[in-house]
Amino acid sequence: MLPAAIDRFTRRHPGIRINVAQTVLSDLRYRELRERNIDLLLGWTPTPFDETDLAVEPLLDDRRVVVAGRRSKWARASRLELADLADERWVLPPPDTFPGSAVAEMFREAGMQMPSAPVTTLSLHLCCRLAATGRFITVLPGSVARFAGGDLGLKVLPVQLPRAAAVSAAIVTLKGRTLGPTAEIFIACIREVAKAAASKAAAGK
């Protein structure tokens, strides 16, 4: 959602500069927010959300999807089970991270062990690029597949994932901190993009 929100914001306010900082999805992921180095964090949050000094605004129930390149042998399949892909070359998040533990739970709910992935990374860009080669498959939040999949030559595979595949995309801010008007305007753009994405996802169902 972030590129779409930035595009919308900069079209309306071309004179305002945006600084995007990437955080690591670890126990320190909220440090920049707490130290007031950033105004807000946009990302996927665990449920329940236990950070009592932070406010979380859920935007989108963002179900994960299994993705491959359009040249992949799986791209033409009309129906697949997660077990069919157990021996494939997966690109997955490291198991000791929040995304990694969530993906491991997804496989457990499907009655499987988490595959031994030849590549582990938290970089969604790398996941997309490797999947696009047709040699790897990966798991992405649905919003990433919708916004970037077409440009990168990705195909969402027809795999029915278990309940644990859902993830919440949200805005996180520091409680008690008054944001400036620029940050509020940017948050409004994020909400608009999220609403449009949710409507598109519902229509797709």
Side-chain angles (χ1 to χ4, degrees):
M1 292 184 292
L2 182 58
I6 290 174
D7 181 60
R8 184 173 300 216
F9 179 86
T10 54
R11 287 177 186 274
R12 295 175 181 174
H13 309 280
I16 299 177
R17 183 177 63 87
I18 297 174
N19 178 43
V20 180
Q22 186 172 2
T23 64
V24 177
L25 290 172
S26 68
D27 292 340
L28 301 176
R29 63 187 177 273
Y30 303 120
R31 183 178 62 185
E32 294 294 296
L33 197 58
R34 289 181 168 121
E35 293 179 355
R36 299 174 180 252
N37 294 325
I38 59 175
D39 293 306
L40 61 110
L41 185 144
L42 174 64
W44 296 283
T45 57
T47 302
F49 188 79
D50 298 325
E51 310 294 332
T52 58
D53 61 328
L54 302 177
V56 60
E57 178 185 340
L59 296 169
L60 188 66
D61 184 17
D62 202 9
R63 288 193 62 83
R64 291 182 177 87
V65 292
V66 178
V67 173
R70 289 176 182 162
R71 292 177 290 178
S72 167
K73 65 180 181 180
W74 300 106
R76 296 181 296 277
S78 58
R79 183 182 178 86
L80 287 170
E81 300 291 335
L82 198 56
D84 296 330
L85 306 171
D87 296 327
E88 288 303 302
R89 296 174 62 83
W90 286 87
V91 182
L92 296 173
D96 58 345
T97 62
F98 155 56
S101 61
V103 169
E105 178 61 26
M106 181 190 78
F107 281 104
R108 279 194 294 270
E109 281 203 15
M112 297 172 56
Q113 292 290 327
M114 190 168 176
S116 178
V119 181
T120 58
T121 179
L122 287 173
S123 169
L124 290 177
H125 178 76
L126 187 57
C127 288
C128 291
R129 289 295 181 182
L130 288 175
T133 67
R135 297 180 55 240
F136 298 87
I137 57 177
T138 191
V139 179
L140 295 175
S143 63
V144 174
R146 285 193 298 275
F147 281 109
D151 293 340
L152 296 175
L154 300 178
K155 173 73 181 295
V156 175
L157 301 184
V159 180
Q160 187 67 36
L161 296 181
R163 176 175 48 84
V167 63
S168 177
I171 296 169
V172 184
T173 54
L174 187 63
K175 285 183 179 179
R177 181 182 181 185
T178 301
L179 296 177
T182 300
E184 293 288 1
I185 294 169
F186 187 68
I187 288 174
C189 288
I190 296 173
R191 289 173 180 147
E192 291 171 12
V193 169
K195 184 177 180 180
S199 298
K200 187 175 181 179
K205 295 176 183 178

